Each structure stands twice: as C-alpha cells, then as structure tokens.
Amino acid sequence: MQQTWTRVRRSWELYLLVLLPVLYLLIFQYIPMFGVIIAFKDFNIIKGILGSPWVGFKHFTDLFQSPNFPLLIKNTLLISLYSLLAGFPIPILLALALNEIRTGFFKRSVQMITYAPHFISTVVMVSIIILMLSPHVGVVDRLFSFLGWSDTNFMGEPKLFKSIYVWSGVWQEMGYASIIYIAALSGVDPSLYEAARMDGASRLKKILYIDLPSLLPIAVTMLILSLGSVMGVGFEKIYLMQNSLNVSTSEVISTYVYKVGLLGANFSFSSAVGLFNSIINLVLLVSVNAIARRVSENSLW
Amino acid sequence: MLTKTKIREPFGDRVLLVTIYVLLGALTLTVLYPLLYILSSSLSSPNAVVSGQIWLYPVEFSLKAYKSIFQSSQLMRGYYNSIVYTVIGTFINVAFTVLMAFPLSQRAMAGRKYIMILMMITMFFSGGLIPTYLLVKNLHLLDTRWALWLPSAFSVFQVIIARTFFMSSIPMELQEASQIDGCRDTRYLWSIVLPLSKPILAVMTLMYAVGHWNAYFDALIYLRSEALFPLQYVLRNMLILNAADPEMLANTAQKLRDQGFEQVLKYALIVVACIPVLIMYPFVQKHFVKGVMIGSLKG
C-alpha cells in the first residue's frame, strides 16, 4: 500500500495528463451508459431521466409485439451476414494475391487505387451509387439496356437493396481491409519460404501451407470483431440509401431507432430498442470469442 | 564470361502468377472505372451526359458546373464549416489521444490497467443514440460547434495504436537517460516522445481528419442552424434529397436545366467534395500502411 502510494506520487504528472481524457470518458461515455435506464422508464422531458416513472419492461414487450419487429431483425441479420460473407474473404484473397507480386509500379498502383475509395464519405458514396444506378442516365442502366435487358429502377427494387449495399461496400473497403493482412504477411519468417522452396513446393502450396496459416490468427480476430457487431449494421449508409420504395428490405434496427426516437421523439421506446441491440451484440461477441478460443486457440481475451 | 543463371519457375507457378496479374488488373479497373466516369461526366456538357454519350472520357468539354458551384454561398459556407470542424476537431482528437496513450504506456504508472479497462469497455458497450443525444442536449451543446467536437474526443482504437507505438518503438534507455538528467514525465513526452512519434502522429492526424471531413451524422442529429452545416450535410441535401441551391442554377437557362445541368452539377459536386482528401492522400498513403502495421503486428 505504502509502496503504491509512493509510486503514485512519483508519477503525479502522468495522472495530470490523463485527467482530461478520463473525464471525457466518464462524461461522454459513462453517463450515457447510465442513461439507458430511460429504456425502463416513461421518459418525460420536464421531469428528466431520474424523475420519470419506472415502467419495467413495458417498452421491450412493446417492441417484441410490434408487427415491425420480425422484419427489423430479419433485415438487420440478413444485411450484416451478407456483408460478412462477401466482405470477409475478399480482402484476404487480395492480400494473398498482392503478396505474390514483387514490389514495383504495378503493385504500388493496385494498392494505391484499391485503398482510395475508403476515403470517400458515405454521403458521396451513396450519391455515386444513386447516380450510377439511376434509370436511363446512369451508366449501369445504360449498359444493361445496351445488353438488351429492360430498364431497371435499381434503388426502387426492394430485392436488390441488400446486394447494392453489400457490393458497394466491398468495392469501397476491400483494399483498405486488406492492409492488415498484408502487414501480417510481411511478418512471416522468410526462412519458411526458403525451406518450402528447397522442398520443391509450388507457389500454390506455399500460399496454402505457409501464407494462409500465418493469416489465421489475425483473421479469427477480425471475424470475432465483425461478428460482435452483426446487429450494428451501419446506420449512415443504409439511412441515406433508403427510399419509400425499398424500405421493406432496408429498414434495420439502427434506422428504426433514429426514426422512432429522434424524429418521433419517443425516447424511451427507442432506447429500449437500442439496448436490446447492444445486448445481443455483447452476447454474440462473448460467445464467438469463447468458441474461437476453444476451436483455434485464438481469441480477443 | 559470367552468365547469370536463373532457375526458371515451373509452368504451374507461372500460370498462377499470370492469373494473379490478370485478376488484380481487372479488380483495379473496376475500382478505378467509376471514379474516372464521375470525373469525365463532371467535365462534360449536360447534353452529352443526358443522352448517354459518356463511357470513359469527357464529351463536349465544359467547366460550367464547376463555375456555378463556386457561386453557391450555401456550398462555400459548408466548405468553410467543414474546414473549421476538421482542423479544430482533429487537433482535439490528437491531443486527447496522446494524453490518454502516453500515461497508459508508462510502466511506472500505478493503476493504468484500470484506466485501460475503463476505456476498453466503451468499445463494446455504449449508451446508444438517445442517451447520448439527451446528454448533449442537457449540456446545452445542441446546435453549437462543440456538439461535433466533444462527444467523440478520441477513438479507443487510435489510443491503443499510439500506446503500442510508444511502448514498442521508443527505447527504454532514452527514458532512463532523460530521467537521470532530471527530465519529468511531461517534459519527456514533449521533448523526446513526440518528436520520435512523427509517423504515428501523421497517420493519426489523417485518420481523424478524414473522419471529420466525411462526417454527416453528428450534424444531422445535433445541428439545426443552416450557418453551421458542414459540407457533407449540405451535399446530402443537394445530392440525395435533390435540393439544389438556386444560386447554382441562377445563371443557367431553363433549357439547359431541363437538359440535365443538375445531373452534371451532381458529378461535379462529388469531385469537389473529394478534392481535399485526394490531395492529402498520396502524401500520407505510405504512412498509413505503416501505421496499420504498427497497430496490428505488435498489439
């Protein structure tokens, strides 16, 4: 105890430095965490969070009984699983392919160009999608009519929403997401490659038996992280891509929270939806982590 | 005479390599094509865009759309606001990240583990939209610039990367030597650690700056006054909600408008919105690959 105190006194400057960020954490992260109790209350703006009456699980049962509920869950899960299925392997393949090429103009151009879309803002990204897919004038629709397929109103077609969302996401993020795997590959011990070459391994075998296993730990970590946020499909892009025609397949939990909560000023109900969402995420994260630890000895903690 | 002997790669390997080159080339073209198409469309005449003549390069070259963008006070104000949000916001972010990461990297600090846990929890659990909104409201930050700066003062992810960098890339001997010379922690951070951390600071600045420049959601929920709107919010109104600024169309004949001037305008808006990031991008691209590597390998 005495010892700890001396240590604390000796590094008082460090505590002074960290004071501001910790205050930020307490105010802007932890106060809202306690603010979630409004999900169990009937929030009244005049009485405030503490003064509003408790209603228990009323908002949760309202949510579960709401006719929108199954659709919301279905859309949220389908969109994020689809994104995961398409978005997870492609960056790994890209990294493996880039790793086969010696450094030079081609490699540098591929990297520079594929990383670039990551820096395009969501607003601009969605505008690009809408412009390219717009009927008659958009380049994709013109290509389709050129090939003899009839005019399609892509953004107004509920069936197409998920694919447009997912594949435009892959287009935007694959290059950037591959960086982490490229970094991992650059850390592989070169003597492994030399030994493999001595033994007469082909390029493909080298990829299968050296590169892929080296990527496994980081891939598992990324998978856990993304599974942990399966229910947290990005609000921004979906909200911007939504229109009255595709809303039946594009309404997800986060857009619903925004519409009911902030636009409809139904704070308590909306918080309950948000809380329900975070809890599922937390449960998913913890259980996927446990499975990963048992199966592959890789886990977040 | 010396002849270079080189073992030729087996046939199967060469086939694989060629396949990889072809696939990567095709992939790169699919990423590049839409970007070129947008640029070309923005430089073409409305006539050419609407009649579908553009496939790759500009047709009937015209800068008219760009000219009218600079006449829009709404857009220019958005541009100005975004610069203000980005510069000050990024400064706050970087300062907070360093202030958090440096003490957490010092083994001498008792209790740093608890601060670390306090921070990590926020990665997996947060109050969510409504409680955060109510907090901002109760602090009277609604409809002020502070609402875009304070609620996201740093990202946990960046703190972890910075902390890892401080711990692994700055030799312990430097600290010992400076301590013997009577250097306190703050002085050590300022005069020794920060100058040695330029690459990671550059990456961090870029990440935060791009984040601020591209953000629109915070503006959507916290801001009401038009004078405060950042560029992305203005763009969203123009590009997605189709509410073009009348000033931009003022000098355009009705006939031209019908022929799809608004369409060209949209392409030009996209280009103009991306320019600042694209200018920065080539200079820091090398750095951010390094930055991600630091964060991922030694974590």
Side-chain angles (χ1 to χ4, degrees):
Chain A
M1 190 62 217
Q2 186 66 37
Q3 217 180 352
T4 317
W5 184 237
T6 343
R7 269 178 73 195
V8 168
R9 271 212 341 233
R10 201 181 303 148
S11 46
W12 63 271
E13 286 195 9
L14 292 177
Y15 294 96
L16 197 68
L17 290 177
V18 90
L19 187 68
L20 220 51
V22 168
L23 269 179
Y24 156 76
L25 274 184
L26 293 177
I27 295 174
F28 285 98
Q29 298 289 338
Y30 281 86
I31 290 181
M33 272 188 218
F34 293 106
V36 299
I37 59 169
I38 68 166
F40 304 97
K41 292 185 162 203
D42 253 337
F43 180 68
N44 181 319
I45 231 157
I46 298 150
K47 290 181 189 153
I49 293 178
L50 294 174
S52 300
W54 291 95
V55 292
F57 287 93
K58 179 186 136 202
H59 298 296
F60 290 89
T61 41
D62 281 357
L63 169 68
F64 299 143
Q65 283 162 6
S66 139
N68 292 326
F69 182 66
L71 191 70
L72 281 178
I73 298 284
K74 188 181 141 207
N75 285 339
T76 309
L77 279 177
L78 280 181
I79 290 181
S80 62
L81 289 178
Y82 190 174
S83 307
L84 197 64
L85 230 56
F88 186 69
I90 289 176
I92 299 181
L93 294 175
L94 182 59
L96 287 173
L98 276 171
N99 195 42
E100 290 307 303
I101 297 175
R102 246 179 280 120
T103 321
F105 176 72
F106 183 73
K107 186 172 185 172
R108 262 179 286 133
S109 327
V110 173
Q111 286 187 292
M112 188 139 178
I113 292 167
T114 51
Y115 298 167
H118 170 78
F119 295 95
I120 295 174
S121 75
T122 317
V123 172
V124 169
M125 186 64 211
V126 174
S127 320
I128 293 176
I129 297 171
I130 294 175
L131 279 172
M132 305 274 289
L133 295 180
S134 61
H136 311 307
V137 283
V139 70
V140 177
D141 195 46
R142 276 196 288 128
L143 184 72
F144 271 40
S145 1
F146 186 75
L147 295 172
W149 294 317
S150 57
D151 272 356
T152 320
N153 180 8
F154 294 92
M155 295 305 289
E157 198 65 62
K159 263 185 290 181
L160 293 175
F161 181 86
K162 291 184 178 85
S163 293
I164 296 172
Y165 175 84
V166 168
W167 291 104
S168 61
V170 170
W171 181 84
Q172 188 173 14
E173 298 297 338
M174 65 180 167
Y176 194 76
S178 72
I179 293 180
I180 197 158
Y181 300 111
I182 291 171
L185 282 174
S186 72
V188 177
D189 185 357
S191 64
L192 283 177
Y193 293 130
E194 282 162 27
R197 221 173 144 174
M198 289 297 169
D199 291 343
S202 67
R203 265 177 195 274
L204 190 65
K205 287 215 164 119
K206 194 204 74 180
I207 294 175
L208 285 177
Y209 298 114
I210 300 177
D211 292 347
L212 265 182
S214 326
L215 288 185
L216 198 65
I218 187 87
V220 170
T221 310
M222 301 304 281
L223 192 65
I224 296 172
L225 281 175
S226 40
L227 278 172
S229 52
V230 154
M231 302 289 283
V233 188
F235 166 88
E236 295 202 6
K237 197 171 156 200
I238 294 184
Y239 182 67
L240 290 173
M241 282 175 71
Q242 250 174 13
N243 57 43
S244 50
L245 295 172
N246 65 28
V247 76
S248 63
T249 53
S250 67
E251 191 81 299
V252 294
I253 293 178
S254 52
T255 53
Y256 189 67
V257 167
Y258 172 72
K259 286 180 191 164
V260 176
L262 281 184
L263 300 185
N266 199 343
F267 291 132
S268 282
F269 178 70
S270 178
S271 298
V273 183
L275 182 61
F276 165 74
N277 200 20
S278 320
I279 289 171
I280 292 191
N281 272 331
L282 206 62
V283 171
L284 271 173
L285 185 75
V286 172
S287 36
V288 172
N289 192 55
I291 295 168
R293 190 166 37 196
R294 198 155 301 164
V295 175
S296 72
E297 292 170 6
N298 296 304
S299 63
L300 280 180
W301 61 84
Chain B
M1 208 172 106
L2 278 168
T3 45
K4 246 188 175 169
T5 51
K6 199 178 157 196
I7 302 169
R8 284 189 65 188
E9 285 204 75
F11 182 70
D13 279 7
R14 271 182 292 157
V15 170
L16 183 69
L17 203 59
V18 169
T19 320
I20 285 175
Y21 269 99
V22 171
L23 286 180
L24 281 180
L27 200 72
T28 310
L29 286 181
T30 43
V31 174
L32 196 59
Y33 178 73
L35 303 176
L36 285 179
Y37 176 79
I38 288 159
L39 186 65
S40 298
S41 300
S42 75
L43 292 168
S44 301
S45 75
N47 215 348
V49 170
V50 176
S51 58
Q53 292 171 48
I54 292 142
W55 290 101
L56 184 61
Y57 47 84
V59 177
E60 297 168 31
F61 185 83
S62 147
L63 284 172
K64 214 164 173 322
Y66 289 95
K67 275 188 201 135
S68 60
I69 282 177
F70 288 103
Q71 283 162 4
S72 160
S73 58
Q74 209 181 336
L75 204 70
M76 288 299 116
R77 198 169 48 224
Y79 230 91
Y80 165 79
N81 282 336
S82 273
I83 292 171
V84 173
Y85 291 130
T86 304
V87 171
I88 297 179
T90 307
F91 176 77
I92 293 176
N93 289 152
V94 172
F96 269 65
T97 307
V98 170
L99 288 178
M100 189 77 179
F102 175 70
L104 287 178
S105 73
Q106 297 300 297
R107 283 169 230 278
M109 189 192 189
R112 62 186 183 131
K113 206 179 135 196
Y114 299 105
I115 299 178
M116 195 76 187
I117 292 171
L118 195 72
M119 184 179 76
M120 298 288 280
I121 288 174
T122 65
M123 262 179 115
F124 302 113
F125 199 78
S126 72
L129 178 66
I130 306 295
T132 312
Y133 173 81
L134 289 175
L135 174 75
V136 171
K137 189 174 146 72
N138 289 335
L139 292 173
H140 300 288
L141 298 177
L142 275 191
D143 211 18
T144 68
R145 293 192 194 274
W146 292 102
L148 301 203
W149 290 324
L150 288 185
S152 50
F154 64 78
S155 108
V156 174
F157 189 65
Q158 296 288 347
V159 169
I160 292 174
I161 290 180
R163 171 180 168 268
T164 312
F165 182 88
F166 293 152
M167 281 170 74
S168 61
S169 303
I170 294 171
M172 282 292 286
E173 290 82 2
L174 273 179
Q175 184 169 20
E176 284 159 20
S178 57
Q179 271 173 354
I180 291 168
D181 289 344
C183 179
R184 286 207 147 276
D185 290 321
T186 312
R187 177 77 195 277
Y188 171 65
L189 169 66
W190 186 254
S191 319
I192 294 177
V193 173
L194 286 185
L196 286 175
S197 308
K198 275 181 198 146
I200 194 87
L201 290 177
V203 177
M204 211 192 288
T205 307
L206 173 76
M207 298 291 181
Y208 282 130
V210 170
H212 280 290
W213 185 264
N214 286 345
Y216 97 99
F217 181 58
D218 287 352
L220 177 73
I221 54 178
Y222 296 134
L223 297 183
R224 297 285 167 272
S225 328
E226 218 169 286
L228 294 177
F229 289 162
L231 180 67
Q232 300 297 334
Y233 192 81
V234 178
L235 282 178
R236 176 232 182 198
N237 295 346
M238 289 179 179
L239 289 168
I240 295 171
L241 304 183
N242 286 316
D245 184 0
E247 280 176 69
M248 281 197 296
L249 302 171
N251 295 330
T252 319
Q254 182 66 41
K255 188 165 158 264
L256 201 58
R257 224 178 292 171
D258 294 340
Q259 282 167 344
F261 184 62
E262 285 187 40
Q263 193 81 7
V264 183
L265 210 53
K266 284 183 175 181
Y267 285 110
L269 280 174
I270 289 177
V271 176
V272 170
C274 292
I275 280 174
V277 179
L278 287 180
I279 290 174
M280 262 166 79
Y281 175 66
F283 296 103
V284 277
Q285 192 235 4
K286 239 189 338 208
H287 279 309
F288 71 66
V289 176
K290 213 196 277 170
V292 173
M293 287 187 185
I294 295 162
S296 66
L297 286 184
K298 294 171 185 167

